[in-house]
Amino acid sequence: YMQVRKKLDPLTSLRFFAAAMIVSGHSHRLIGSMNLANIFSFAQGVSFFFVLSGFILAYNYPLLPAKSDILRFFKARIARIWPSHIAAIVLLFLLTGALNVGGLPNISMVLFTAIANFFLFQSAIPIKDVFLAFNGVAWSISTEFFFYLFFPLLITRISWFFKLAGVLFALCLFLWLSIVCNISSDESLPTITLMGVLYVNPLVRLFEFFLGVVCCRVFLTKRTVEQMHKFPTYTFTLIELMVVTLALFSMWLTPRLTSFLGLEGQVGAVFNYYLVKAGSAPVFAILIFIFAFGRGFISRMLSLSPMVWLGEVSFALYLVHMPILNWYENNISHFVFFPKPVVAGLYWLLSIYIAWLLYKSIENPCRIAILKFGQIGKPVLIKIFFGGRQSLFLCLLISSLLAFKYLPGLISYEACTAECENFISQFSLIPSAGFDRYADLLAIRLKQAPSQEGKFLEMVFRAKRITKSTHLAVHIVAKDGQIVSQIDSLLVKSQRLSDGQLWLERVLIPNRLVDDRSVGIGIALYDDPRKPYRVSYPRTDFDGRRILIDFSELKLAGTM
């Protein structure tokens, strides 16, 4: 039971700014954010999405009077989020050759987590390796899916007081449990942390969604409309400036509020964690309420077609930005000689471009096909996906993904003859390491990267039989061989070499990946990550499938 109402273009555009906050927060460590991520809590972009989602759904679905209306509502919401969610996981695999399940202990947990992701209930499981598996940002899509399940109840004629009391009780209950159970705020721990209990938990985040629902009900009341339309345009412009300023101030203040109030210990840690992630939700509700009227100058700028377009692709941008960031990190050695502003600009342009292609070739046609499923025949269904411009968008998406996968290695390829021979004479690995029938590692060294943000691990290999799916895994290892951090990359340059030819492989190891536990490097080659190639070398582990080299050995080569 969806009412056709006037489209709120300013709110559509604001979705892009919420997505931009999240993208900037995630990419800050690799490409920077002009220091904005250190000033404002960009994690609250998710909170903005949750409040806005509650507002928009209440605006479009003020009532769901019959069971059939509720079923149509669920069908429409699944059509909106599920196809792009699955497509983003496929995109992650195509770009990186991995599925981000390395933290899961066994195949049973991988299968369980895959099912959880497929059916979008991973956010109900407060284990980091589960809710951040595959495309990690999809936890919020799962949380949003739980909001959809609650939505018909939230708009019923039950007293608003009781509904508000219910969502506040859930929030307060988990805040209390986090305090009395002394749950850690350290998000790096594999156990249950505040990330799973307060950040991802749908019952906690339901309060923000409900704020949006309540805000919309106030917006739709006749008295509100009559009162707000008395204000002239310049007054609305001033109000818009004020609420934007208030939102920015809130995003700066909330991460610091517990320090200002002198809250310490577990109480301070819990409330600080929640405020950092969701403390500005009430302010976001006010901002959304004001911009929904679209009366001020800022609203009119947000209603321009380019801004609305950015808002429309923002959901796809949110889903694809992490796979592209992972791809960049895997290929970072190809970009270290570019200035950071150039890298940042390229990252944003590529992310928006791929988001647009995903929106046009997957999100839109899949949504139409799901909504019309059973009402249209196979010819019409084929036309939805492949007819007219759709085939062009699909071809662009496929060709772009192929370029992402293979172009970095092809561009950076340099024939290695005298250079490699000179490298071997200075930094030879004695004895060399033979990776089955595929390649030999002849020399290795560490070299300071120009950016001072890490070191290059440079290796000279001799080709034997490199396949198109051969990957290099570089592990930073602890004393007991445990993996501290891992960098995987596809061996593209070597695919064009014949038996016996040499190539130089360079991998950037950022300083942040090396900690006090790190004592050396492990190196493996694989087609299947579950079964690396066997290797002949004096020091190996993983059943003879990974070589181990101490940092001290590399220092003796005079490279540190």
Side-chain angles (χ1 to χ4, degrees), residues 338-350:
F338 289 91
K340 265 198 171 180
V342 173
V343 173
L346 286 172
Y347 171 70
W348 276 94
L349 287 173
L350 288 172

Side-chain angles (χ1 to χ4, degrees), residues 262-277:
L263 290 178
E264 298 178 348
Q266 182 65 5
V267 173
V270 168
F271 278 96
N272 180 69
Y273 188 91
Y274 180 75
L275 289 172
V276 166
K277 304 298 186 183

